[in-house]
PDB file of all heavy atoms in Angstrom:
ATOM      1  N   ALA R 186      17.867 -70.704   2.702  1.00  0.00           N
ATOM      2  CA  ALA R 186      18.464 -71.530   1.648  1.00  0.00           C
ATOM      3  C   ALA R 186      18.050 -71.029   0.268  1.00  0.00           C
ATOM      4  O   ALA R 186      18.546 -71.508  -0.741  1.00  0.00           O
ATOM      5  CB  ALA R 186      18.027 -72.983   1.827  1.00  0.00           C
ATOM      6  N   PRO R 208      24.775 -72.502   1.932  1.00  0.00           N
ATOM      7  CA  PRO R 208      25.689 -72.574   3.070  1.00  0.00           C
ATOM      8  C   PRO R 208      26.524 -71.298   3.156  1.00  0.00           C
ATOM      9  O   PRO R 208      26.749 -70.620   2.161  1.00  0.00           O
ATOM     10  CB  PRO R 208      26.568 -73.766   2.743  1.00  0.00           C
ATOM     11  CG  PRO R 208      26.588 -73.822   1.251  1.00  0.00           C
ATOM     12  CD  PRO R 208      25.243 -73.307   0.805  1.00  0.00           C
ATOM     13  N   ARG R 223      27.252 -52.242  13.922  1.00  0.00           N
ATOM     14  CA  ARG R 223      27.856 -50.916  13.728  1.00  0.00           C
ATOM     15  C   ARG R 223      26.815 -49.930  13.213  1.00  0.00           C
ATOM     16  O   ARG R 223      26.776 -48.783  13.633  1.00  0.00           O
ATOM     17  CB  ARG R 223      29.021 -50.995  12.738  1.00  0.00           C
ATOM     18  CG  ARG R 223      30.310 -51.482  13.330  1.00  0.00           C
ATOM     19  CD  ARG R 223      31.490 -51.234  12.390  1.00  0.00           C
ATOM     20  NE  ARG R 223      31.310 -51.810  11.060  1.00  0.00           N
ATOM     21  CZ  ARG R 223      31.648 -53.054  10.726  1.00  0.00           C
ATOM     22  NH1 ARG R 223      32.168 -53.861  11.621  1.00  0.00           N
ATOM     23  NH2 ARG R 223      31.465 -53.481   9.498  1.00  0.00           N
ATOM     24  N   ILE R 243      -1.278 -51.972  20.092  1.00  0.00           N
ATOM     25  CA  ILE R 243      -0.439 -53.098  20.496  1.00  0.00           C
ATOM     26  C   ILE R 243       0.638 -52.602  21.432  1.00  0.00           C
ATOM     27  O   ILE R 243       1.346 -51.639  21.131  1.00  0.00           O
ATOM     28  CB  ILE R 243       0.232 -53.780  19.289  1.00  0.00           C
ATOM     29  CG1 ILE R 243      -0.811 -54.253  18.285  1.00  0.00           C
ATOM     30  CG2 ILE R 243       1.097 -54.943  19.741  1.00  0.00           C
ATOM     31  CD1 ILE R 243      -0.226 -54.797  16.996  1.00  0.00           C
ATOM     32  N   ASP R 253     -10.669 -51.823  18.557  1.00  0.00           N
ATOM     33  CA  ASP R 253     -11.838 -50.970  18.809  1.00  0.00           C
ATOM     34  C   ASP R 253     -12.100 -50.831  20.311  1.00  0.00           C
ATOM     35  O   ASP R 253     -13.242 -50.870  20.768  1.00  0.00           O
ATOM     36  CB  ASP R 253     -13.078 -51.503  18.093  1.00  0.00           C
ATOM     37  CG  ASP R 253     -13.043 -51.230  16.597  1.00  0.00           C
ATOM     38  OD1 ASP R 253     -12.231 -50.389  16.158  1.00  0.00           O
ATOM     39  OD2 ASP R 253     -13.836 -51.850  15.871  1.00  0.00           O
ATOM     40  N   ALA R 269       3.489 -58.564  12.276  1.00  0.00           N
ATOM     41  CA  ALA R 269       4.038 -58.494  10.915  1.00  0.00           C
ATOM     42  C   ALA R 269       3.199 -57.553  10.052  1.00  0.00           C
ATOM     43  O   ALA R 269       3.739 -56.751   9.285  1.00  0.00           O
ATOM     44  CB  ALA R 269       4.085 -59.890  10.294  1.00  0.00           C
ATOM     45  N   LEU R 283       4.973 -63.962   4.709  1.00  0.00           N
ATOM     46  CA  LEU R 283       4.385 -64.117   6.039  1.00  0.00           C
ATOM     47  C   LEU R 283       4.917 -65.367   6.733  1.00  0.00           C
ATOM     48  O   LEU R 283       5.174 -65.343   7.944  1.00  0.00           O
ATOM     49  CB  LEU R 283       2.861 -64.141   5.960  1.00  0.00           C
ATOM     50  CG  LEU R 283       2.247 -62.777   5.640  1.00  0.00           C
ATOM     51  CD1 LEU R 283       0.779 -62.922   5.264  1.00  0.00           C
ATOM     52  CD2 LEU R 283       2.410 -61.820   6.811  1.00  0.00           C
ATOM     53  N   LEU R 284       5.100 -66.454   5.984  1.00  0.00           N
ATOM     54  CA  LEU R 284       5.699 -67.654   6.587  1.00  0.00           C
ATOM     55  C   LEU R 284       7.082 -67.336   7.133  1.00  0.00           C
ATOM     56  O   LEU R 284       7.440 -67.742   8.236  1.00  0.00           O
ATOM     57  CB  LEU R 284       5.785 -68.789   5.559  1.00  0.00           C
ATOM     58  CG  LEU R 284       4.488 -69.521   5.259  1.00  0.00           C
ATOM     59  CD1 LEU R 284       4.671 -70.461   4.071  1.00  0.00           C
ATOM     60  CD2 LEU R 284       4.007 -70.297   6.473  1.00  0.00           C
ATOM     61  N   VAL R 294       6.141 -76.256   7.158  1.00  0.00           N
ATOM     62  CA  VAL R 294       4.889 -75.559   7.483  1.00  0.00           C
ATOM     63  C   VAL R 294       4.006 -75.594   6.242  1.00  0.00           C
ATOM     64  O   VAL R 294       4.449 -75.213   5.154  1.00  0.00           O
ATOM     65  CB  VAL R 294       5.146 -74.092   7.902  1.00  0.00           C
ATOM     66  CG1 VAL R 294       3.842 -73.392   8.214  1.00  0.00           C
ATOM     67  CG2 VAL R 294       6.088 -74.034   9.094  1.00  0.00           C
ATOM     68  N   PRO R 312     -15.088 -60.716  16.397  1.00  0.00           N
ATOM     69  CA  PRO R 312     -15.874 -61.946  16.287  1.00  0.00           C
ATOM     70  C   PRO R 312     -17.265 -61.742  15.698  1.00  0.00           C
ATOM     71  O   PRO R 312     -17.813 -62.639  15.067  1.00  0.00           O
ATOM     72  CB  PRO R 312     -15.955 -62.468  17.721  1.00  0.00           C
ATOM     73  CG  PRO R 312     -15.439 -61.395  18.600  1.00  0.00           C
ATOM     74  CD  PRO R 312     -14.717 -60.404  17.763  1.00  0.00           C
ATOM     75  N   ASP R 314     -18.117 -59.331  13.382  1.00  0.00           N
ATOM     76  CA  ASP R 314     -18.094 -58.869  11.991  1.00  0.00           C
ATOM     77  C   ASP R 314     -16.653 -58.770  11.503  1.00  0.00           C
ATOM     78  O   ASP R 314     -16.009 -57.729  11.649  1.00  0.00           O
ATOM     79  CB  ASP R 314     -18.793 -57.509  11.876  1.00  0.00           C
ATOM     80  CG  ASP R 314     -18.854 -57.000  10.445  1.00  0.00           C
ATOM     81  OD1 ASP R 314     -18.567 -57.774   9.505  1.00  0.00           O
ATOM     82  OD2 ASP R 314     -19.187 -55.816  10.267  1.00  0.00           O
ATOM     83  N   ARG R 324      -6.304 -60.920  -3.716  1.00  0.00           N
ATOM     84  CA  ARG R 324      -6.435 -62.185  -4.448  1.00  0.00           C
ATOM     85  C   ARG R 324      -5.248 -62.426  -5.389  1.00  0.00           C
ATOM     86  O   ARG R 324      -4.888 -61.569  -6.196  1.00  0.00           O
ATOM     87  CB  ARG R 324      -7.739 -62.186  -5.232  1.00  0.00           C
ATOM     88  CG  ARG R 324      -8.077 -63.518  -5.830  1.00  0.00           C
ATOM     89  CD  ARG R 324      -9.460 -63.458  -6.447  1.00  0.00           C
ATOM     90  NE  ARG R 324      -9.708 -64.648  -7.218  1.00  0.00           N
ATOM     91  CZ  ARG R 324     -10.407 -65.679  -6.761  1.00  0.00           C
ATOM     92  NH1 ARG R 324     -10.911 -65.642  -5.555  1.00  0.00           N
ATOM     93  NH2 ARG R 324     -10.588 -66.732  -7.525  1.00  0.00           N
TER      94      ARG R 324
END
Side-chain angles (χ1 to χ4, degrees):
R223 279 193 305 272
I243 303 174
D253 285 344
L283 288 167
L284 283 171
V294 179
D314 182 12
R324 190 173 170 99

